[in-house]
Amino acid sequence: MRVTHSGRTVEVQNGETVLDALLRSGENIPYSCKAGSCQSCRMRVVSGSVPEAAQVGLKETLRAQGYFLACSCRPDGDIEIESDIQVQSVVGVVRARDRVGEDVLRIRLEIDDELDYAAGQFVSLVRSDGLARAYSLASIPGDPSLELHVRRMPGGRMSGWIHESLGVGDAVSLRGPFGSCFYVPGRPDQRLILAGVGTGLAPLLGIARDALARGHEGPVDLFHGALVSGRLYGVDVLRNLERCHRPFRYHACALNESQGDPETLRVGAISDIVLSSVKETLATSRVFLCGDPGFVNDLRKRLFLAGASMQEIHADPFTPTGSTTDAN
Amino acid sequence: MSTLYETLGGEPAMQAAVELFYRKILTDERVSRFFEDVDMEGQMAKQKAFLTMVFGGPSEYSGKDMTEGHSHLLDQGLNDSHVDAVIENLGATLSELGVDAASSKSALSIAEGARDDVLGRRGS
């Protein structure tokens, strides 16, 4: 058996692990426990397949992307592996730009080549001068175009340029996909809990549509939070999704609202609303959290402490880029 | 004689065990601040490796790694009382998992063996 890694091919001896073979050949691979638990030696298979034992303990989103642990991998055929994720590059042409919220633009891009992505992942949008920012995909792979939601950030160079200058017919470069916050088919009866603030709605919308398109039957609850109800966006799309798919429910949440119509708006902190709504089913639910890192990290911890399994919490904190003037 | 790791059910049981353990640690005011990490998954992976070792599962325990991994916490005041609290939580986890007294005692003594590495008292 042979393993190819960063252009070099190494012979794996009988019973030897991929990690040991690579180390023996002098490669510098990070590792620690060598027993399949610390995940320091996580790598990704790009051609061939690895035995099931090499993926034990990894989250299903990572298994779906071909990640495995080199220390637990005794291959039964030739494989090619990599340490870093492989990134695709495509060119996207703006086909539509619509203001969907107070300061949010929905951009639809037609791409020149296929982009192999999962709904919920993100891409890096690269301007011709090299300025790059990450945006989540709100589309699903079957859609004719990629959909991004761009919130105008105060002093944001990229978001300011997109809002002011990027027009229909213009082209931008995209690199990706990145991220492990997406739906993996299986367990169709499980409850899905999706919660996000701001443009955290973008990946959640993709994940919900993807799960429903794949025949998910369990309840799909999407919570979207904002300071005031006027800052929520995409309400029509979500209400429409609710009408078309019985398992789907949209929960609009606003923090500062004197009174909401209990039918359509829930008033309070979105994290508290999520916790109080889903507490009983948490131990068996699958959770997706997207948006502001403070919100995501806090709710992840609270849901875990309330009984959700960490293996079932998929999170995408939107880490801001550098200083405020640099933010997207 | 089978190890506690095997008796409990191997790797999947370690996942369940580490979740119980980490919940206890995070809600224990004596030690939670040392374990509040934005990278919760990375933090749990390390704890899982430790529990696997303590339960007699496949492990390449390195006292040196243990010392290096905790040296920055010594500056934040990590001391014996915190190790006591962690071991107490481990004991509570074991009893919640229904581990018998004898196995529990042996697992706790293995954990106790890491104390000097964690606190950087092992001669280099």
Side-chain angles (χ1 to χ4, degrees), chain A residues 31-39 56-59 62 297 300-301 303-315, chain B residues 11-12 15 18-20 22-24 26-27 36-42 44-46 48-50 52 58-61 65:
Chain A
Y31 70 93
S32 178
C33 79
K34 285 183 103 179
S37 43
C38 77
Q39 303 192 9
V56 166
L58 292 182
K59 281 176 98 155
L62 296 176
N297 293 328
R300 172 170 51 192
K301 181 177 158 189
L303 289 170
F304 170 65
L305 291 177
S309 166
M310 196 57 88
Q311 296 284 85
E312 299 285 359
I313 304 180
H314 306 283
Chain B
E11 197 281 334
Q15 185 60 40
V18 76
E19 297 214 338
L20 278 179
Y22 193 29
R23 279 193 195 103
K24 290 189 193 302
L26 277 179
T27 46
E36 277 172 345
D37 193 328
V38 168
D39 180 14
M40 288 180 76
E41 287 177 31
M44 278 179 68
K46 288 181 212 153
K48 194 165 135 190
F50 179 69
T52 302
S59 161
E60 300 242 338
Y61 178 80
D65 287 350

Side-chain angles (χ1 to χ4, degrees), chain B residues 18-85:
Chain B
V18 76
E19 297 214 338
L20 278 179
F21 180 62
Y22 193 29
R23 279 193 195 103
K24 290 189 193 302
I25 295 284
L26 277 179
T27 46
D28 183 337
E29 281 175 14
R30 296 171 295 175
V31 290
S32 61
R33 66 190 170 100
F34 296 112
F35 293 89
E36 277 172 345
D37 193 328
V38 168
D39 180 14
M40 288 180 76
E41 287 177 31
Q43 178 66 243
M44 278 179 68
K46 288 181 212 153
Q47 290 177 30
K48 194 165 135 190
F50 179 69
L51 291 188
T52 302
M53 187 274 285
V54 165
F55 292 173
S59 161
E60 300 242 338
Y61 178 80
S62 150
K64 192 167 148 279
D65 287 350
M66 208 64 170
T67 302
E68 280 170 10
H70 292 87
S71 60
H72 65 292
L73 297 178
L74 295 179
D75 302 336
Q76 296 171 30
L78 186 75
N79 62 38
D80 277 299
S81 75
H82 304 116
V83 177
D84 291 343

Side-chain angles (χ1 to χ4, degrees), chain A residues 205-222:
Chain A
L205 183 59
I207 293 163
R209 286 184 54 219
D210 187 43
L212 295 167
R214 290 167 185 271
H216 196 86
E217 290 162 1
V220 179
D221 290 275
L222 189 154

